[in-house]
């Protein structure tokens, strides 16, 4: 198995710029005009049902999110 | 993120007690409503007259504003930060990417109160208004968030 090589700072900066860029009004409307597929819709709703069921209060959800972020940050390569 | 003594419940309590008209927006609001997404910061849309009140409330927690209230009013946003980052939008109205002006004074009366810690209620925009705020930035992740918020609305039968 090949060892994971973290992306270079330059590559990360390019990815960040792409993810953070502001779409034009036309791009934004065009993207929103594409309806969600049945499976995608069900997947989103199922995720929401699970989260709200497992963490029934806003406080529990916020606490979960902070734990999840800490786990993600700790596991982040580099 | 664990370097400071930041306590989320204390932070929200301080904001709630301040009396500042501050709406929790951004992904932290999605999470509180029941959408599992990842985020690092806090986003608020603050009434333009309540900047000093908000800052006074969070400064004891080490959150220091990057700009004075006058500068923040002129710029339309600022950050309160230490190891945590709180992005604060301060505009009477903000245009969406498709040029719809969204006014704080219209969104505020429709707010929902969420109990984010025992006895601590933080206001978030009504779901339809939260969707509009996601059209301010119009980044790819905002599109994803709008889809999730719409799924939430359908889940709630709205």
């Amino acid at each position: 198995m090949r060892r994971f090589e973290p992306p270079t700072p330059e590559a990360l900066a390019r990815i960040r710029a792409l993810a953070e860029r502001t779409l034009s009004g036309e791009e934004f409307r065009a993207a929103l005009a594409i309806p969600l597929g049945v499976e995608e819709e069900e997947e989103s709703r199922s995720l929401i049902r699970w989260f709200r069921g497992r963490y029934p209060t806003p406080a529990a959800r916020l606490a979960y999110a902070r734990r999840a972020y800490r786990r993600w940050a700790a596991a982040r390569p580099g | 993120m664990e370097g400071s003594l930041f306590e989320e419940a204390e932070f929200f309590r301080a904001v709630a007690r301040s009396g500042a008209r501050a709406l929790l927006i951004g992904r932290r609001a999605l999470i509180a409503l029941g959408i599992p997404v990842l985020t690092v910061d806090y986003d608020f849309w603050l009434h333009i007259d309540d900047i000093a009140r908000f800052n006074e409330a969070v400064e004891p927690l080490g959150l220091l504003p990057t700009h004075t209230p006058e500068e923040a009013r002129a710029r339309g946003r600022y950050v309160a930060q230490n190891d945590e980052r709180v992005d604060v939008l301060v505009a009477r109205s903000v245009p969406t990417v498709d040029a719809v002006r969204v006014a704080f004074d219209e969104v505020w009366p429709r707010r929902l109160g969420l109990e984010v810690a025992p006895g601590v209620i933080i206001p978030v925009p009504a779901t339809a208004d939260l969707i509009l705020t996601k059209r301010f930035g119009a980044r790819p992740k905002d599109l994803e968030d709008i889809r999730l918020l719409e799924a939430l609305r359908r889940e709630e039968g709205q």
Side-chain angles (χ1 to χ4, degrees), chain A:
Chain A
M1 191 186 322
R2 199 158 58 89
R3 190 162 172 266
F4 174 76
E5 291 294 336
T8 63
E10 292 76 23
L12 281 177
R14 282 198 300 275
I15 293 165
R16 189 169 292 123
L18 273 176
E20 291 293 322
R21 79 191 173 102
T22 300
L23 303 175
S24 69
E26 198 176 325
E27 282 178 299
F28 203 76
R29 275 190 300 276
L32 281 178
I34 302 168
L36 271 190
V38 176
E39 273 180 37
E40 268 181 297
E41 167 80 10
E42 183 42 40
E43 202 174 304
S44 298
R45 289 175 66 162
S46 155
L47 189 65
I48 291 167
R49 277 196 296 274
W50 163 76
F51 190 50
R52 296 180 113 192
R54 181 69 183 82
Y55 302 98
T57 65
R61 294 169 198 153
L62 290 164
Y64 165 83
R66 284 184 70 81
R67 288 196 304 274
Y69 181 81
R70 280 198 293 267
R71 278 199 304 272
W72 174 81
R76 193 168 45 174

Side-chain angles (χ1 to χ4, degrees), chain B residues 11 15 18 20-23 25 41-59 62-82 84-91 94:
Chain B
F11 166 63
V15 172
S18 74
R21 288 159 287 181
L23 291 163
I25 59 173
D41 58 4
Y42 295 81
D43 297 279
F44 279 91
W45 189 5
L46 178 62
H47 192 283
I48 200 161
D49 295 332
D50 293 348
I51 302 172
R53 189 178 282 194
F54 185 89
N55 290 348
E56 279 165 25
V58 301
E59 276 183 17
L63 290 161
L64 303 177
T66 52
H67 295 83
T68 65
E70 294 70 30
E71 290 167 342
R73 268 191 281 275
R75 301 175 79 249
R77 57 173 63 239
Y78 70 103
V79 177
Q81 61 187 2
N82 56 1
E84 303 285 335
R85 183 182 164 97
V86 182
D87 282 313
V88 187
L89 177 64
V90 275
V94 183

Side-chain angles (χ1 to χ4, degrees), chain B residues 109-121:
Chain B
R110 293 192 288 262
R111 69 194 181 278
L112 309 170
L114 297 181
E115 188 172 29
V116 294
V120 180
I121 308 292

Side-chain angles (χ1 to χ4, degrees), chain B residues 94-113:
Chain B
V94 183
T96 66
V97 69
D98 27 22
V100 174
R101 286 208 82 83
V102 184
F104 185 95
D105 286 340
E106 290 174 13
V107 171
W108 179 253
R110 293 192 288 262
R111 69 194 181 278
L112 309 170

